[in-house]
Every structure is written in structure tokens, then in C-alpha cells.
Amino acid sequence: SINLIIFGDPYAAKHTDAFEMNEDEKLFLAIGLDAKKAKLCATNAKVGPKLKHVVEAANVKDGCDSSTGILLYKIATQVKSLDSLKNLKEVLGYATAGKIKSSGQITELVKYLTNGREPFDPKDFEEACGIGQNYTAETIRKRILEILDEAKSLLEEKRYAAMHMVYGKVRSSLKFADGLTVKQEFDKALEERLGPRTKDDNTKKPKKTKKKKATSSPQEETKDESKTANVAHMSTEDLMVMFSGRSIPWDKNSEEIKCAHIKRTGGKMRTRFPPEPNGYLHIGHAKAMNFNFGVAKKFGGVTFLRFDDTNPEAEKKEYIDNIIENVKYMGHNPYKITYSSDSFQKLYDFAVYLIKKDKAYVCHMTGEKVKESKKLKQNQPPSPWRDRPVEESLFEFDRMRKGYYGEGKATLRLKMDITHDNPNMWDIIAYRIIFKEHPHAGRKWCIYPTYDFTHCIIDSLEDITHSCCTMEFENRRESYYWLLDELNIFKPNVWEYGRLNIKSNVLSKRKLKQLVVEGHVKGWDDPRLLTINGLRRRGFTAEGINQFCEDMGVSRAVVSWAPYERLEQCGRAALNIVSPRRMVILDPLRVELTNLEKNRTVEVECRNFPESLRELGVEDEKTFKVSLTRTLYIERKDFRKSANKSYFGLTPGKTVRLLHAFNITCERIDEDEKGNPKTLYCTIDIENKIKIKKGFLHWVSGSNPIRFTANLYDKLFLADYPGLDEDGEKVHYLTQLNPKSLEVARGIADQVLSSAKPGEHYQFERLGFFFVDPDSTPGNIIFNRTMSLSAGRAKKMKK
């Protein structure tokens, strides 16, 4: 399982009851699925029955190895319907015998289940699925060379620009061969045929595009370059293909460096989650955690939690502590917690090495001058200090370190290529002067390495195998690998994926800070924000957030936009099985039961959870009692003086059912001077003579109810894309704030809720999921609405 829930959080209720697994979940565990996947399959109405049918047909109900189990899972999830399957037992016999290995074979196997011959023809099936075809590196290479010969004229004309087209033909021809081997042999053969990539090969040719109609969505940010990938369902082969980023001429490791790296790591995958401690984590970071920790765990690797703490002006100890806490809250267990600042001396030594190699120099251009120079792009003049003697730069760099220069008076720049088409190769800054105490390293340094200088070197020093970051860093590939190449140290595999944004909210640190500092929200943990602290205070669980991140997957889109409702959907599923049911009233309307004696109390038994949740593993069968008395309260919206047939609430002369209790019929109304209902006079039918199919109302007894505060949260912004109006024109995002993003209600509840403690989750029947705020006290209970029971119900409640 990629996601691990950690209970015992101060914002969350403790749940220590062990849920008994149902029989399907046990079956799926027996075939080697991890606990989370087994549970999800067992509760999924589409996947569960198909997987169970496949397992039974494969005759492995008593268990099998995990590789076979994963194979059966892939087959079951790709099968569209059980009704049209042919020769299932015969075909699955090949799968359990280990004769189906590649993703291409699985695809053909699934096709054969629908379109294959009957009766079963082994020879026809084996030919269709490539069984018995042995592919060695030599045979793969031979076929690749044949295809390269066929595409000779195309390759001569377009060189590497034709690579994907030619590789498609190779993959089609070798669809049953190991994908990773095919990719490696293809890359090697292509480079032998065309030679190393040139600068022209790395220049993207402009594409002819059709004009698009104006739209309110930021299309320039959401162009998708590949399909979304869900790590939980990927094979090693698929993962390696996915991790093939844009190639750089100097991105390869020597055999010596590669062997030394494998010796140090034992060949294990290593990823890292590298936040800068200059703010609080938000849901975008949650996605990065889910991916980096998840992919390493799935493939037997480890993940570092590394603080990229190179800017003491913006970093604080409180951010570091909060990040560590939230990483643990999200269920992730770092292999090591490291700080880039712990390697400041090593980084300094590397900088000195580059100066001695004449690949770095001390520059005295002001920031403004550098910016003006770069506007000339490849025609920019070199820095006046670019060719100063090595000894002079060493002397000046030492003076920078000793505090001789003021801030902005000197920098160390890398001597790269100012004529390159990538701006990140234009002699970027490696060190600058900052007279500020560092929150982790203290007062030792007054010069600090930049992110671009630090990040790749620390990746290398930590032997990170897969350095994954968001797409805005894609154009840093050249500088990343250039620096490691000059230092002759290990080069990790870099791969970029789309940054996450959620509609009707913002994730920019600058905008989040403005919202907090200017008082538009009540702090970094305001439940309307998508900071992890805000989500926790709103009542989202780690399981719900992680499931959302996993469902979103990763893609090469520059930005992935998700509707807020999708986050709610995942949060709702997680809360449904941990939130005991209670009845509260947010807008009370008094009801008098005229035929119930004044002093009579009827005890009504209610359940913490409905019986239907037993299928999801909820075993809590506890009940509690509430008192029904002559005076009670219902929601004001549940009564209308007149209504059509589609209204299922209470109207004069109509009979409805009180939840968990009895029928009542409205006989007459007391109104205030404005004509608004003040008291409803109803009769109660203790025997429930009339069968009610629709029209169930929650209620609270008027006998000594407790009062509480309910914070009813809604979307923070009215616009889907804050900063753009409906026509796609730019506007200031603060003008689109939702004035009703927080409404406060004073509600009433039965005494059973008087013991509600901070961090507990509840489902208030017919209203939504609520969370006891950390500021709650016994005399002032505060509930935060996490979400309504469904998006549809939320819309109805607003009408």
C-alpha cells in the first residue's frame, strides 16, 4: 500500500478499533495484493466481482505469489465485461504458469478473451500472445537495426525529431519483448547511427496550431503531453518508460560512476521529497509526497525528506518543524531527514574546484545589470569579469566568504554557455552574499549557494536515483546535468510531472501569504485554504487526501486542474467509515406534539453507523439513546407552508417520519408578525400506521439541548480559475473572493454530543461531515463543516 494512515493526530480522532476483513478482501490478500489494494477491490462494485471471478477461474483461491496475483489483477481490470469472456480457464492457465510476462502479452490476452476462437486453440492463442518467442538482446538489436535501415531517409532528414515515430514502429514490431531492453537498445543504436545530439537536435521546432476559441480556463498551462499515470497500477517496465525524460548530451553516467553508485545503494531506488522551509505545505506538496514516497515504496526503494534550505531570508524553524509533522501525518516514513545546509562545506569545496577548473568566476555585475544583459538573449555581452584569472576569482571568492563585500556587490557565477538557446545556461549564479543567520546552520556562513547550484549536487551526494519535480523545472535539465558533468559525480535520472491546482482556490505561496497577511483568511490553518494545516482543521483525513492524490496520478501536463468536488469525493469516502452519526439542528424551528403527554419522554435508539457500512469493514455496532419529548426542533428549511410533489419535507396536513422514530402530521402553524413560521403543532403516530417512503427529517429534543457553533465553509473563490474572468481575461484574483465562503450558525444538539472532543469526526445526518475544531471547549463546542453529504445535496440545501 502506498498510503499509510497515522492516527493519534491532535486534529484527528483516535480510531483504534480493528475492522474485520470480509471474505473477498482475504481472497485478494491471499493472491499477493497489498492491504490497501485488496480492500479497494473488495469494496469496488465493478472491479471486485471481476477479480474474484478471474481468481476462481485461475484456480488460485488458496493463494499464489504476488507477481501472479498482480498479473490476474491487471487482467481483471482490463476486462470490460464477464459476460462475453471465452476460454477463460484455459487462457489463465498460461498466466499462472508464468508464460505471460510483458504488458504487450497482457493486452493481447485480454483481446483474446473476447475475440478468440472457440473451442480453444492453444496454437492460435500462443501465436496471438507471443508465447514461446524468445527475445535476447541480440535479436532485439537485430530487429531495431532493420527498422532503422528502413527509416534511413527519414532519419537523415529529421534526425532525432523522427525518433518517436521510428520508436513506435520498433515497439509495434517487438511488442512482446521486454520494454526496458527495447528502449535501451534503441537509444544505443540510434546514437550510433546519428551520433550525439547537437544543439539543433535539442531545439524544438514550432508546430502549426489551429486557433482556439477563447476560454475561461488557462489553456496555455494545461496542455497535456501524455496520459495520466497512476503509480499504484504500474509495472516496473511501464515505470521505466515513463521516467524517460528529455535527453541531454551530457546526462549519461560513466560505467565507473554507475557501478560505484550501485555498490553504495545496493541497486535500490532512491527518491526524495525536497521542500524549501519557507512556508507551510499545501495539497500540491501532498501530491509530491504521495508520488515520491509511493513510487519508492512500490518498487522496494527509500525516500529522503530533504530540506532545500539555501535561503535564510525566507526560512524559519517553525516551517521545518511543521513540515516534519505533516509528512508524518500524511503517513510517510522518510528513510532519512536531511538538510542541504549540512553540506554547505562540501558545496563550497565544489565551488572552489570549479573556479580552479575555470568553470566559475566571481562577478560584480549588479542584479539589475545582469537582468538587462539577459534581455539580449544569445547576443548578450559576457560579464566584464568572465575571463578574470583563476587565482583572482579564488581570492575574491574567499573575500566573499569572509564578509568583505556587502550584499549584491559580488556573486559567483558558473562559466557555462551564454550563446545557448536555454536561458538556464547563461552563466547562472552559484553563490550570493546574505548577511542573515541560518535557521539550521547558524551564523557560520554569509555566502549561500543558490537552489540551482545546490539541488543537483545534493541529489548526487544522496545517490538519488530518480529526481522528480514539477514541469516548471523542465528547462533546467541542461544546467542540472552540466554542473554534475563538470564535477564528474553521479547523475540521477530527472523526470518532471504536472503541478497540481484545484479550481476555486490558490496554491501560490505568494498568494497564500497575501491572503493570510491581509486578513482575508484567519491564518495558515484556515479551513478554506488548501494548506495541509487548513485541510486538517477542516476535517480532511490523511487517507482522503492521499486517495485524491493517487486518483489524480501524474502526467506531463504543465498544470493539472482538478475540481474541488473531486477532493471532496475522496474525503467523503474516507470520512464515511470513521464518522459516527448524530442529529443536530442548525436553524431550529419549534414543533409541539399535541397528542404526547407533557411530561412523557420516549427513548429512541440510534446507531453510530448504519448496518450497510459493515460491507466496508465497519464493525462498530454501538448504539446510543436520544429522548423524544413533547417539544422538539426540526430544520426550518424542512417546512413549507405550501409545496409541490417533489418536496419531501413537512407541510400542513402532510405526514413525515422523524428519523429513527415516528410519524408526525402537521395540524396548524403559529406565525410571527412577518408571517414566518414560529411553532408547528403536530400529532405523533407512535405506531407508525402510515408507511413513509420519502420524507425523513432529523430532529432534536427540546428537553435541555446543548448549543454549539458551526462554521459552514464553502469555496474560497467564486471563479474556477482565480485571476481570470469568464472570458479568460486577467483580473485581480482578490476581486473574486467568495463573500460567503464562511457562514456561522448557532445550532442545537442532543446531550449525547456534550462530550465531543477536539479532533473528532461526525456525520450530522442529512447535513454533512463535521469536525470538532481544536479551539473547542466543553462550554463552547465548535464544529467545522468538512463537506456536505454529496455535491447534489449541497446544491439542494442552498435552494
Side-chain angles (χ1 to χ4, degrees):
S1 171
I2 289 179
N3 304 324
L4 173 67
I5 307 169
I6 300 295
F7 294 113
D9 172 65
Y11 288 176
K14 293 183 178 180
H15 305 283
T16 56
D17 295 337
F19 300 155
E20 186 179 345
M21 293 178 284
N22 62 34
E23 292 303 313
D24 285 354
E25 190 175 349
K26 291 178 182 177
L27 173 63
F28 301 153
L29 283 172
I31 65 169
L33 298 191
D34 58 57
K36 182 175 179 181
K37 188 176 290 182
K39 186 171 185 177
L40 287 173
C41 291
T43 56
N44 189 305
K46 291 183 178 179
V47 177
K50 288 195 288 187
L51 181 55
K52 184 177 180 180
H53 187 75
V54 166
V55 171
E56 290 174 347
N59 196 27
V60 291
K61 288 193 294 182
D62 295 330
C64 62
D65 60 87
S66 61
S67 60
T68 301
I70 292 293
L71 177 58
L72 296 177
Y73 169 82
K74 288 181 178 180
I75 293 170
T77 53
Q78 290 185 35
V79 166
K80 291 184 178 180
S81 170
L82 294 175
D83 299 331
S84 59
L85 298 185
K86 304 173 182 177
N87 309 310
L88 183 60
K89 289 185 179 180
E90 294 84 352
V91 166
L92 292 179
Y94 285 83
T96 55
K99 295 180 179 179
I100 302 294
K101 297 176 181 178
S102 70
S103 57
Q105 287 181 307
I106 295 173
T107 301
E108 295 303 320
L109 180 149
V110 172
K111 288 180 183 178
Y112 200 89
L113 285 174
T114 305
N115 305 320
R117 295 180 182 176
E118 280 190 313
F120 181 66
D121 183 345
K123 187 176 180 181
D124 181 62
F125 172 75
E126 289 173 5
E127 184 177 345
C129 293
I131 294 170
Q133 297 182 22
N134 296 317
Y135 291 94
T136 64
E138 290 75 19
T139 57
I140 290 173
R141 180 175 175 79
K142 182 180 178 182
R143 182 60 187 135
I144 289 172
L145 292 174
E146 289 171 355
I147 294 173
L148 291 182
D149 287 335
E150 294 168 7
K152 184 178 179 181
S153 58
L154 179 65
L155 289 170
E156 286 176 348
E157 178 189 353
K158 296 188 174 182
R159 289 180 54 79
Y160 282 92
M163 179 179 71
H164 296 294
M165 190 185 305
V166 178
Y167 181 68
K169 293 179 181 178
V170 168
R171 204 68 192 93
S172 177
S173 177
L174 297 167
K175 62 182 177 181
F176 300 126
D178 176 69
L180 183 57
T181 305
V182 171
K183 184 71 170 62
Q184 290 172 339
E185 290 296 330
F186 176 76
D187 288 344
K188 187 197 242 178
L190 190 65
E191 188 168 352
E192 289 172 358
R193 186 66 59 94
L194 300 179
R197 284 175 180 264
T198 64
K199 187 164 69 173
D200 289 338
D201 289 327
N202 290 321
T203 302
K204 290 185 177 179
K205 304 293 188 294
K207 294 181 179 179
K208 293 182 180 179
T209 55
K210 295 180 181 179
K211 289 186 178 179
K212 294 182 180 179
K213 293 181 180 179
T215 173
S216 61
S217 95
Q219 291 293 327
E220 70 276 9
E221 292 188 347
T222 58
K223 183 182 177 184
D224 216 340
E225 295 183 11
S226 68
K227 296 179 181 179
T228 299
N230 189 316
V231 172
H233 303 140
M234 293 183 72
S235 66
T236 306
E237 175 188 318
D238 294 336
L239 182 76
M240 291 303 106
V241 171
M242 184 186 82
F243 274 136
S244 300
R246 180 168 60 89
S247 181
I248 304 298
W250 46 84
D251 63 5
K252 302 293 187 294
N253 285 299
S254 67
E255 283 301 318
E256 182 183 356
I257 289 177
K258 193 187 301 182
C259 290
H261 160 76
I262 292 173
K263 187 175 180 180
R264 291 190 298 270
T265 63
K268 280 190 175 182
M269 175 183 278
R270 288 189 174 195
T271 62
R272 81 286 178 275
F273 172 58
E276 298 175 61
N278 58 3
Y280 295 92
L281 300 183
H282 54 63
I283 197 164
H285 296 105
K287 177 185 174 181
M289 281 189 270
N290 185 275
F291 179 59
N292 281 289
F293 281 94
V295 74
K297 187 173 183 179
K298 177 177 175 62
F299 295 102
V302 296
T303 302
F304 289 70
L305 167 57
R306 181 209 305 156
F307 290 100
D308 271 340
D309 52 345
T310 60
N311 184 8
E313 292 182 304
E315 295 157 2
K316 295 180 182 178
K317 180 69 163 58
E318 69 173 276
Y319 296 145
I320 293 173
D321 294 340
N322 186 257
I323 289 170
I324 292 173
E325 178 197 353
N326 275 325
V327 169
K328 291 181 179 178
Y329 169 77
M330 292 303 297
H332 306 302
N333 185 25
Y335 172 65
K336 285 182 182 178
I337 298 177
T338 62
Y339 298 80
S340 293
S341 57
D342 285 341
S343 298
F344 275 175
Q345 184 61 53
K346 290 181 181 178
L347 291 167
Y348 179 83
D349 293 340
F350 277 128
V352 170
Y353 171 80
L354 289 169
I355 296 173
K356 291 179 179 179
K357 196 179 176 185
D358 200 21
K359 291 296 181 180
Y361 61 96
V362 173
C363 177
H364 301 282
M365 292 177 70
T366 63
E368 195 61 37
K369 286 281 187 184
V370 172
K371 190 182 293 184
E372 286 297 318
S373 178
K374 288 187 175 181
K375 286 180 181 178
L376 299 174
K377 300 184 178 179
Q378 287 99 324
N379 296 319
Q380 63 182 286
S383 163
W385 292 273
R386 194 174 200 264
D387 294 321
R388 73 193 314 171
V390 167
E391 290 73 18
E392 194 175 303
S393 278
L394 287 170
F395 176 74
E396 294 295 338
F397 191 47
D398 185 58
R399 294 220 290 181
M400 284 174 60
R401 182 181 66 83
K402 290 176 178 177
Y404 180 83
Y405 290 111
E407 293 185 9
K409 299 299 182 182
T411 60
L412 182 72
R413 296 177 67 181
L414 302 177
K415 193 181 289 188
M416 304 170 87
D417 180 3
I418 58 174
T419 66
H420 200 282
D421 57 353
N422 187 332
N424 289 293
M425 290 293 289
W426 298 346
D427 289 12
I428 60 175
I429 293 173
Y431 269 85
R432 73 280 203 213
I433 300 165
I434 303 175
F435 290 105
K436 179 83 174 178
E437 183 176 353
H438 192 279
H440 184 70
R443 296 174 177 269
K444 183 177 179 181
W445 298 90
C446 67
I447 58 171
Y448 291 95
T450 59
Y451 173 88
D452 286 321
F453 183 77
T454 305
H455 188 73
C456 57
I457 295 177
I458 302 300
D459 275 353
S460 180
L461 294 179
E462 291 180 349
D463 277 311
I464 301 301
T465 60
H466 295 80
S467 178
C468 304
C469 51
T470 46
M471 283 296 294
E472 62 264 36
F473 294 98
E474 202 278 342
N475 65 351
R476 285 176 159 94
R477 295 178 74 90
E478 279 84 355
S479 57
Y480 182 102
Y481 284 120
W482 180 93
L483 184 51
L484 299 183
D485 193 60
E486 290 297 336
L487 294 172
N488 196 32
I489 56 178
F490 174 72
K491 300 167 187 173
N493 182 29
V494 177
W495 189 76
E496 304 86 7
Y497 57 90
R499 182 164 48 89
L500 174 66
N501 264 354
I502 294 182
K503 293 179 182 179
S504 304
N505 219 303
V506 293
L507 295 180
S508 155
K509 284 184 180 179
R510 178 182 61 81
K511 291 178 180 178
L512 287 172
K513 185 175 182 180
Q514 185 177 12
L515 288 169
V516 173
V517 171
E518 295 182 5
H520 301 290
V521 294
K522 296 181 179 180
W524 289 97
D525 64 346
D526 188 297
R528 289 167 291 183
L529 296 180
L530 295 178
T531 58
I532 294 181
N533 284 355
L535 289 167
R536 290 170 64 177
R537 190 160 192 167
R538 186 153 177 165
F540 280 90
T541 62
E543 184 178 27
I545 299 170
N546 276 324
Q547 188 59 56
F548 167 75
C549 295
E550 191 171 305
D551 287 355
M552 284 297 296
V554 289
S555 76
R556 295 282 287 176
V558 177
V559 177
S560 300
W561 285 91
Y564 185 79
E565 289 77 11
R566 189 166 180 180
L567 172 62
E568 285 189 320
Q569 183 181 2
C570 294
R572 193 176 287 119
L575 288 170
N576 189 40
I577 60 175
V578 297
S579 303
R581 276 50 171 174
R582 298 290 185 266
M583 292 190 293
V584 306
I585 301 297
L586 297 179
D587 186 11
L589 175 60
R590 183 186 178 102
V591 175
E592 288 290 327
L593 302 177
T594 56
N595 62 335
L596 192 68
E597 297 86 345
K598 285 187 177 181
N599 297 324
R600 184 178 177 186
T601 298
V602 179
E603 295 291 333
V604 176
E605 190 172 71
C606 307
R607 296 174 60 93
N608 274 349
F609 294 93
E611 289 186 14
S612 59
L613 289 188
R614 295 192 68 180
E615 296 178 3
L616 299 180
V618 179
E619 273 206 338
D620 187 343
E621 295 186 2
K622 294 177 183 176
T623 61
F624 60 95
K625 291 183 178 181
V626 294
S627 299
L628 188 148
T629 55
R630 182 182 176 93
T631 301
L632 57 87
Y633 294 90
I634 64 172
E635 292 286 352
R636 188 168 295 275
K637 66 178 179 59
D638 281 337
F639 175 79
R640 292 181 187 174
K641 285 188 279 187
S642 61
N644 57 31
K645 292 181 180 180
S646 64
Y647 180 68
F648 299 114
L650 188 60
T651 57
K654 184 179 178 181
T655 300
V656 297
R657 173 75 60 85
L658 297 177
L659 268 177
H660 311 297
F662 313 103
N663 297 341
I664 61 169
T665 304
C666 181
E667 305 291 347
R668 63 186 179 91
I669 316 166
D670 260 0
E671 299 177 337
D672 60 20
E673 60 278 4
K674 295 181 180 180
N676 297 316
K678 188 167 65 172
T679 303
L680 308 181
Y681 294 92
C682 301
T683 56
I684 185 169
D685 173 16
I686 298 290
E687 297 178 2
N688 289 335
K689 294 176 181 177
I690 300 175
K691 188 174 182 180
I692 303 295
K693 292 183 178 179
K694 293 184 177 180
F696 292 80
L697 310 184
H698 59 284
W699 54 277
V700 167
S701 170
S703 176
N704 194 28
I706 66 166
R707 297 194 175 275
F708 64 86
T709 299
N711 294 321
L712 308 177
Y713 294 104
D714 204 342
K715 293 177 180 178
L716 186 56
F717 290 90
L718 296 171
D720 279 348
Y721 306 99
L724 293 178
D725 64 16
E726 293 181 356
D727 297 320
E729 299 295 326
K730 288 185 178 181
V731 296
H732 198 288
Y733 76 103
L734 289 179
T735 64
Q736 299 171 314
L737 281 167
N738 179 7
K740 295 184 178 181
S741 62
L742 169 60
E743 294 184 337
V744 180
R746 290 286 293 169
I748 60 173
D750 191 87
Q751 282 289 329
V752 71
L753 270 174
S754 61
S755 60
K757 297 179 178 59
E760 291 182 340
H761 298 276
Y762 291 96
Q763 185 191 117
F764 292 161
E765 303 213 53
R766 300 181 66 240
L767 294 175
F769 293 97
F770 286 74
F771 179 72
V772 186
D773 189 85
D775 289 342
S776 287
T777 62
N780 180 32
I781 300 177
I782 304 169
F783 291 103
N784 297 331
R785 184 174 67 189
T786 311
M787 66 201 69
S788 64
L789 295 181
S790 68
R793 180 166 293 188
K795 290 177 182 177
K796 288 180 183 178
M797 290 172 67
K798 289 179 181 179
K799 291 181 179 179

